[in-house]
């Protein structure tokens, strides 16, 4: 006959096995934790979108380009003051060692080299406005040129007048930098009303954005504001590194909140048990399980996100419930021993572990990196907490026996006896009120799946970002057009068709501006068409000779210009050569040609009507990309899938409990988490709280904890007083960790804490109803 498991259980052997496992994790952790294992970037949270390969590549390239850039504007009442503030900011940035490049002054040499490179193709490179004038009324170009030459900037244009009498190239070159910028001491400065703003752009040296660098960056920008504002200036800063820094700072603050809650829980344990041993063992269990989850997660995923630590560390706090049930069981009888205590709680904590594993395993089903990390982290941590209690505690609790009855035991004993009786006596009016309250809250529940809720930027940072986008032609980070063609010629034709439609929408104030490569680089056939247009309108009609003669050029100069024009007839500049000298803003549009497909992006800014833009998706070779909307839609689908998984998890747990305890008892136990879930959702509706995918994650936790409370009261028998103490302590410690997350500034973390707090409180109030008839 097979021996019961506890008859062949040897505490020393079990503790030795636990120690070997911890040593193995220590060896693995010594390697894993010395590498770069912490992920802080916002983009790492997001799942891979269901897109065509070129769209995914465009999104990835765009994200890589913006991930390490910090854009700053220093404002003042005059341009020299704005430049002076920017110079001091540049010095601070360079001294910090965080950046590989801090660009303030325009590179005049590169500017001149670019000018010389393109000047040879001045007859082929016509900007859109000049081309329209030549097509409609060539003589009007002469009048506009004369206005320019007799204006204050005319002397600058006169330098190249002999080689470019029609000012064709200056028009083209100036059109490449649309905006309100002027140069002040070599710095790009723009004017907005009575305010002048100097532009500074910095590139992070490490695009992986390690945590230490992010904290230094946040303090660097915050500290730089004080002297600038003291001098009457203003500093605006934005960029993905700054948003990531604020998110990481918020996450660290939330970890500190959880630590405060854990500390309060430890003090509660100390007051309850009046002994150091339960306190030390509880800390050991949490430390061991957290260490195991951290090491194994890094080994599996390579890197884990800082938000995984926020959620995961809190979830492992649930593992202290196993230890609490063990310690509280010691108050149940005078002849208590560690072996008897383990025998009594083993079934309960094992079933609790099983339900938790089912819950978190279902959480990891959607292809969402953050959820998978949290689910895996939590599963390993809970297994570690269970193993520590079962394998280690019986040996280390040898000889332990409490010598007092804590005041909280008397309080919880009174509560578990009288509270259920009051509920049953008043069920005639409590039940209808509860039904109406739950139904009313569920009716007001509104899902919100905006991916931007993952960020935790301050109002000040968001205001600065919005102001910079108003002042600069900054492209929208997540919304753009993808344009493709079978070859550069086909791509150019498709993008030109799109730009014409965008120009019409711009005139209708649908958007503020747009930008694409084909605005600046004409295809070879367009270059030849530009040349023929000039030839037909100015050279063959004699209009060029009359114009140059009126400006005072002699016949020799006119002949030389005509000769230069004739020699350049077959000139054309290819896209690769044009891109070689282009600035970064232009290069980032081009995604290259691959497998007979050339792809680029068209960026937008100041979008006011998304529907009108999305309707252009049907143009040849054009795809509309809206990352925020697509990811939010993906979140919505994940929420729907997670809801089904949540129901499935409840069903699996119910089947397991039915097979173990019978269907009637299983339904009684499951009533606790089901009602707790309903109350949590209703509270979200009544208080207009965020309801998204992450609330379902919290409800999985409510399922695990609610079933835990129900099982322990069902199995309590004549030990309901000690069980009530364990469940109450468990609820308090859980609320101290999760409930405090409700004060977070991050929307999803706040919603998670709020949902768990409402669910746990409800489960705590309902759990004493379980097992009453069985006890009687």
């Amino acid at each position: 006959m097979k021996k019961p498991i506890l008859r062949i259980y040897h505490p020393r052997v079990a503790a030795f096995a636990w120690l070997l496992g911890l040593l193995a994790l220590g060896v693995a952790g010594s390697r894993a934790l010395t590498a770069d294992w912490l992920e802080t970037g916002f983009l790492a949270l997001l799942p891979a979108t269901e897109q065509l390969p070129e769209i995914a590549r465009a999104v990835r390239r765009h994200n890589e380009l913006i991930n390490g850039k910090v854009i700053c504007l220093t404002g003042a009442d005059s341009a020299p003051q704005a430049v002076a503030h920017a110079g001091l900011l540049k010095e601070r940035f360079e001294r910090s060692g965080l950046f590989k490049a801090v660009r303030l002054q325009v590179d005049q040499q590169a500017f001149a080299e670019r000018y010389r490179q393109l000047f040879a193709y001045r007859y082929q490179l016509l900007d859109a406005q000049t081309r329209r004038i030549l097509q409609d009324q060539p003589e009007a170009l002469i009048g506009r040129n004369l206005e320019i030459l007799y204006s204050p900037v005319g002397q600058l244009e006169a330098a190249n007048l002999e080689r470019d009498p029609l000012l064709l190239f200056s028009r083209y070159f100036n059109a490449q930098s649309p905006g309100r910028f002027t140069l002040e001491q070599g710095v790009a400065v723009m004017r907005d009303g009575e305010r002048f703003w100097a532009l500074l752009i910095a590139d992070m040296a490490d695009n992986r954005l390690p945590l230490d660098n992010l904290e230094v960056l946040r303090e660097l920008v915050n500290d730089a504001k004080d002297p600038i504002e003291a001098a009457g200036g203003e500093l605006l800063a934005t960029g993905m590194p700054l948003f990531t820094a604020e998110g990481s700072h918020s996450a660290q603050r939330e970890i500190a909140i959880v630590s405060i809650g854990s500390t309060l829980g430890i003090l509660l344990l100390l007051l309850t048990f009046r002994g150091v041993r339960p306190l030390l063992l509880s800390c050991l269990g949490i430390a061991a399980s957290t260490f195991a989850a951290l090491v194994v997660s890094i080994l599996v995923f390579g890197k884990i996100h800082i938000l995984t630590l926020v959620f995961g560390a809190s979830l492992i706090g649930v593992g202290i419930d196993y230890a609490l049930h063990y310690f509280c069981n010691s108050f149940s009888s005078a002849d208590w021993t560690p072996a008897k205590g383990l025998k009594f709680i083993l079934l309960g904590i094992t079933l609790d572990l099983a339900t938790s594993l089912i819950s978190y395993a279902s959480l990891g089903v959607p292809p969402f990196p953050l959820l998978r990390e949290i689910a895996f982290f939590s599963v390993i941590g809970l297994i570690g907490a269970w193993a520590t209690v079962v394998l280690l505690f019986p040996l280390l609790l040898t000889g332990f026996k409490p010598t007092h009855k804590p005041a909280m035991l008397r309080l919880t004993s009174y509560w578990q006896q009288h509270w259920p009786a009051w509920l049953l006596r008043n069920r005639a009016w409590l039940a209808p009120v509860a039904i109406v309250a739950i139904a009313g809250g569920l009716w007001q529940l509104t899902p919100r799946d905006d991916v931007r809720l993952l960020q935790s930027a301050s109002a000040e940072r968001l205001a600065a970002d919005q102001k910079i986008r108003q002042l600069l032609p900054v492209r929208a980070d997540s919304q753009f057009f993808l344009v493709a063609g079978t070859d550069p010629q086909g791509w150019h034709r498709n993008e030109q068709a799109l730009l014409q439609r965008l120009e019409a929408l711009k005139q209708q104030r649908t958007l503020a501006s747009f930008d694409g490569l084909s605005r600046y680089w004409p295809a070879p056939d367009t270059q030849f068409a530009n040349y023929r247009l000039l030839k037909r309108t100015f050279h063959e009609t004699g209009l060029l000779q009359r114009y140059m003669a009126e400006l005072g050029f002699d016949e020799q100069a006119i002949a030389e210009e005509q000769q230069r024009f004739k020699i350049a007839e077959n000139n054309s500049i290819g896209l690769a050569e044009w891109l070689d000298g282009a600035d970064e803003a232009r290069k980032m549009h081009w995604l290259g040609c691959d497998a007979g497909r050339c792809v680029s992006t068209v960026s937008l800014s100041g979008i006011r009507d998304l529907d009108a833009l999305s309707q252009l998706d049907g143009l040849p070779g054009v795809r509309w990309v809206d990352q925020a909307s697509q990811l939010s839609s993906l979140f919505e689908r994940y929420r729907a899938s997670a809801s089904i998984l949540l129901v499935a998890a409840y069903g699996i747990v119910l089947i397991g409990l039915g097979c173990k305890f019978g269907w009637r008892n299983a339904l009684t136990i499951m009533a606790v988490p089901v009602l707790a879930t309903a109350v949590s959702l209703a509270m979200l509706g009544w208080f207009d709280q965020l309801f998204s995918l992450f609330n379902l994650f919290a409800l999985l936790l409510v399922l695990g904890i609610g079933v835990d409370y129900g099982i322990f009261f069902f199995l309590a028998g004549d030990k309901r007083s000690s069980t009530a103490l364990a469940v109450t302590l468990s609820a308090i410690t859980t609320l101290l960790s999760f409930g405090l997350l409700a004060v977070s500034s991050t929307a999803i973390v706040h919603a998670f804490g709020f949902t768990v707090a409402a669910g746990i409180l409800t489960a705590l109030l309902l759990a004493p109803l379980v097992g009453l008839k069985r006890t009687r």
Side-chain angles (χ1 to χ4, degrees):
M1 186 175 179
K2 199 171 183 180
K3 294 182 179 180
I5 185 70
L6 288 177
R7 291 189 180 179
I8 60 174
Y9 180 85
H10 298 286
R12 293 181 182 275
V13 175
F16 182 72
W18 181 90
L19 183 60
L20 282 180
L22 190 66
L23 288 174
L25 287 172
V27 173
S30 64
R31 298 178 180 178
L33 296 176
T34 55
D36 180 21
W37 58 270
L38 185 63
E39 181 68 66
T40 57
F42 168 72
L43 299 174
L45 298 173
L46 305 179
T49 54
E50 301 156 359
Q51 297 171 328
L52 295 174
E54 60 263 25
I55 296 180
R57 184 173 58 160
V59 171
R60 185 169 59 251
R61 168 118 183 237
H62 171 75
N63 291 341
E64 289 172 354
L65 288 168
I66 67 172
N67 198 39
K69 290 192 180 301
V70 176
I71 301 174
C72 299
L73 287 177
T74 55
D77 293 332
S78 67
Q81 286 178 324
V83 172
H85 295 325
L88 294 176
L89 183 64
K90 180 185 178 184
E91 292 177 5
R92 283 177 173 265
F93 277 17
E94 289 176 337
R95 287 199 305 268
S96 71
L98 292 177
F99 305 98
K100 62 183 177 184
V102 182
R103 298 188 296 278
L104 180 59
Q105 280 83 12
V106 175
D107 189 340
Q108 300 288 350
Q109 184 176 355
F111 187 86
E113 182 60 33
R114 176 67 169 166
Y115 195 96
R116 285 193 297 270
Q117 177 201 19
L118 298 180
F119 189 78
Y121 305 97
R122 59 192 178 279
Y123 305 116
Q124 286 80 18
L125 301 177
L126 300 180
D127 63 283
Q129 184 183 33
T130 301
R131 191 161 51 245
R132 283 196 299 270
I133 294 174
L134 291 175
Q135 291 170 341
D136 299 336
Q137 193 177 3
E139 292 84 359
L141 186 68
I142 295 176
R144 297 198 178 194
N145 283 357
L146 292 176
E147 291 178 4
I148 295 173
L149 291 172
Y150 291 119
S151 70
V153 298
Q155 292 183 350
L156 298 176
E157 301 293 347
N160 281 324
L161 189 61
E162 186 174 344
R163 299 185 63 201
D164 185 22
L166 292 175
L167 305 181
L168 299 174
F169 188 68
S170 64
R171 290 171 174 275
Y172 167 77
F173 204 75
N174 292 334
Q176 289 196 67
S177 303
R180 296 171 286 172
F181 285 107
T182 58
L183 288 183
E184 175 75 28
Q185 305 172 36
V187 178
V189 175
M190 65 170 300
R191 184 171 183 173
D192 179 48
E194 299 299 321
R195 203 73 164 165
F196 293 85
W197 299 91
L199 174 65
L200 181 145
I201 300 177
D203 295 316
M204 298 290 291
D206 190 348
N207 280 359
R208 295 172 301 174
L209 304 179
L211 189 61
D212 293 343
N213 288 4
L214 290 175
E215 190 61 26
V216 173
L217 174 64
R218 194 183 69 85
E219 293 178 357
L220 179 67
V221 173
N222 290 340
D223 292 344
K225 291 184 64 175
D226 295 335
I228 292 177
E229 291 178 352
E234 191 175 352
L235 172 61
L236 303 176
T238 190
M240 186 60 72
L242 281 173
F243 280 95
T244 303
E246 291 208 352
S248 298
H249 182 73
S250 176
Q252 291 179 76
R253 185 172 63 248
E254 275 125 31
I255 291 174
I257 290 173
V258 173
S259 300
I260 292 171
S262 301
T263 303
L264 294 174
I266 289 172
L267 292 175
L268 182 63
L269 291 179
L270 189 61
L271 293 173
T272 301
F273 297 105
R274 296 183 189 175
V276 177
R277 200 180 329 184
L279 179 63
L280 293 179
L281 288 180
S282 298
C283 294
L284 175 62
I286 293 175
S289 56
T290 305
F291 180 71
L294 182 63
V295 171
V296 177
S297 297
I298 294 172
L299 293 176
V300 171
F301 295 106
K303 298 180 75 171
I304 61 173
H305 200 274
I306 190 170
L307 275 181
T308 301
L309 296 182
V310 174
F311 286 107
S314 301
L315 287 171
I316 291 177
V318 178
I320 199 176
D321 293 355
Y322 307 149
L324 288 175
H325 284 295
Y326 205 161
F327 300 144
C328 291
N329 185 255
S330 65
F331 296 118
S332 62
S333 62
D335 59 344
W336 183 88
T337 64
K340 288 182 179 180
L342 181 61
K343 181 179 179 180
F344 181 80
I345 70 164
L346 183 59
L347 176 60
I349 65 173
T350 303
L351 289 174
D352 178 26
L353 176 65
T355 57
S356 298
L357 295 185
I358 292 172
S359 302
Y360 300 137
S362 61
L363 177 71
V365 171
F368 194 161
L370 179 62
L371 289 184
R372 285 186 169 178
E373 282 185 17
I374 294 173
F376 188 83
F377 191 98
S378 303
V379 164
I380 299 301
L382 290 175
I383 291 174
W386 179 90
T388 302
V389 170
V390 173
L391 298 179
L392 188 65
F393 279 22
L395 178 64
L396 297 185
L397 283 174
T398 301
F400 173 77
K401 188 173 293 185
T403 58
H404 72 290
K405 294 291 183 181
M408 185 172 284
L409 177 61
R410 295 191 294 272
L411 180 64
T412 55
S413 178
Y414 179 86
W415 167 72
Q416 68 87 18
Q417 291 176 25
H418 294 85
W419 169 250
W422 185 87
L423 289 177
L424 293 174
R425 281 198 310 271
N426 296 277
R427 64 182 179 272
W429 66 270
L430 283 174
V433 170
I435 292 172
V436 171
I438 291 173
L442 293 177
W443 179 261
Q444 299 178 71
L445 194 63
T446 304
R448 280 175 280 178
D449 302 295
D450 192 344
V451 67
R452 285 162 290 207
L453 294 171
L454 286 170
Q455 285 189 321
S456 55
S458 63
E460 182 182 5
R461 180 65 54 226
L462 291 173
D465 179 74
Q466 184 177 6
K467 180 67 174 178
I468 289 176
R469 290 181 183 279
Q470 291 173 355
L471 295 172
L472 300 179
V474 178
R475 55 189 285 176
D477 289 340
S478 62
Q479 296 155 329
F480 55 90
F481 282 100
L482 194 72
V483 185
T486 55
D487 53 33
Q489 190 73 29
W491 156 78
H492 187 275
R493 183 170 55 253
N494 292 340
E495 184 169 296
Q496 280 292 296
L498 172 64
L499 295 186
Q500 290 175 9
R501 298 287 295 273
L502 290 176
E503 182 62 36
L505 291 177
K506 180 182 175 182
Q507 299 303 321
Q508 300 170 14
R509 306 183 68 82
T510 299
L511 72 162
S513 64
F514 58 90
D515 204 14
L517 269 184
S518 64
R519 289 186 67 177
Y520 314 108
W521 177 78
D525 62 344
T526 305
Q527 294 181 41
F528 294 136
N530 289 340
Y531 183 89
R532 290 193 298 270
L533 180 61
L534 272 173
K535 184 177 181 180
R536 185 177 68 251
T537 55
F538 268 83
H539 289 265
E540 292 180 347
T541 61
L543 187 57
L544 175 70
Q545 294 91 321
R546 292 198 303 272
Y547 164 68
M548 292 186 67
E550 289 177 5
L551 289 180
F553 285 99
D554 57 25
E555 293 184 0
Q556 182 179 354
I558 296 173
E560 289 176 354
E561 171 59 22
Q562 290 179 320
Q563 181 65 23
R564 285 192 292 267
F565 180 79
K566 184 177 181 181
I567 293 174
E569 182 174 5
N570 296 318
N571 283 359
S572 70
I573 182 170
L575 179 59
E577 182 183 356
W578 188 92
L579 284 170
D580 280 341
D583 58 23
E584 195 174 89
R586 306 288 172 261
K587 289 180 178 178
M588 68 187 299
H589 285 291
W590 183 243
L591 301 179
C593 296
D594 185 21
R597 192 172 180 82
C598 298
V599 186
S600 74
T601 61
V602 172
S603 61
L604 312 163
S605 64
I607 298 172
R608 300 184 183 92
D609 188 351
L610 284 174
D611 291 337
L613 292 171
S614 61
Q615 290 174 7
L616 302 181
D617 191 65
L619 293 176
V622 174
R623 294 296 300 268
W624 168 244
V625 180
D626 186 350
Q627 293 185 75
S629 297
Q630 289 168 352
L631 285 171
S632 297
S633 176
L634 198 63
F635 275 25
E636 183 179 1
R637 295 202 301 274
Y638 285 174
R639 178 175 49 78
S641 301
S643 300
I644 296 173
L645 290 172
L646 180 65
V647 174
Y650 275 68
I652 293 172
V653 173
L654 176 62
I655 292 171
L657 293 177
C659 294
K660 179 64 180 176
F661 301 121
W663 295 107
R664 186 171 183 177
N665 293 328
L667 289 172
T668 303
I669 295 171
M670 285 299 296
V672 175
V674 169
L675 289 173
T677 297
V679 171
S680 292
L681 293 174
M683 293 288 282
L684 292 173
W686 281 116
F687 288 92
D688 193 27
Q689 295 290 306
L690 170 69
F691 175 56
S692 67
L693 174 66
F694 290 87
N695 297 84
L696 298 176
F697 173 30
L699 294 178
L700 287 171
L701 182 61
V702 172
L703 165 63
I705 295 177
V707 169
D708 175 22
Y709 295 172
I711 287 174
F712 274 101
F713 269 106
F714 179 79
L715 296 174
D718 59 352
K719 299 181 179 180
R720 287 179 65 87
S721 295
S722 61
T723 299
L725 175 62
V727 168
T728 303
L729 289 175
S730 170
I732 292 173
T733 55
T734 303
L735 289 172
L736 285 173
S737 56
F738 292 113
L740 287 176
L741 291 180
V743 304
S744 170
S745 59
T746 305
I748 58 168
V749 178
H750 167 79
F752 179 89
F754 185 92
T755 306
V756 171
I760 297 306
L761 281 172
T762 305
L764 176 64
L765 295 175
L766 295 176
L769 291 170
V770 179
L772 282 176
K773 292 183 179 180
R774 190 165 180 262
T775 302
R776 291 168 183 169

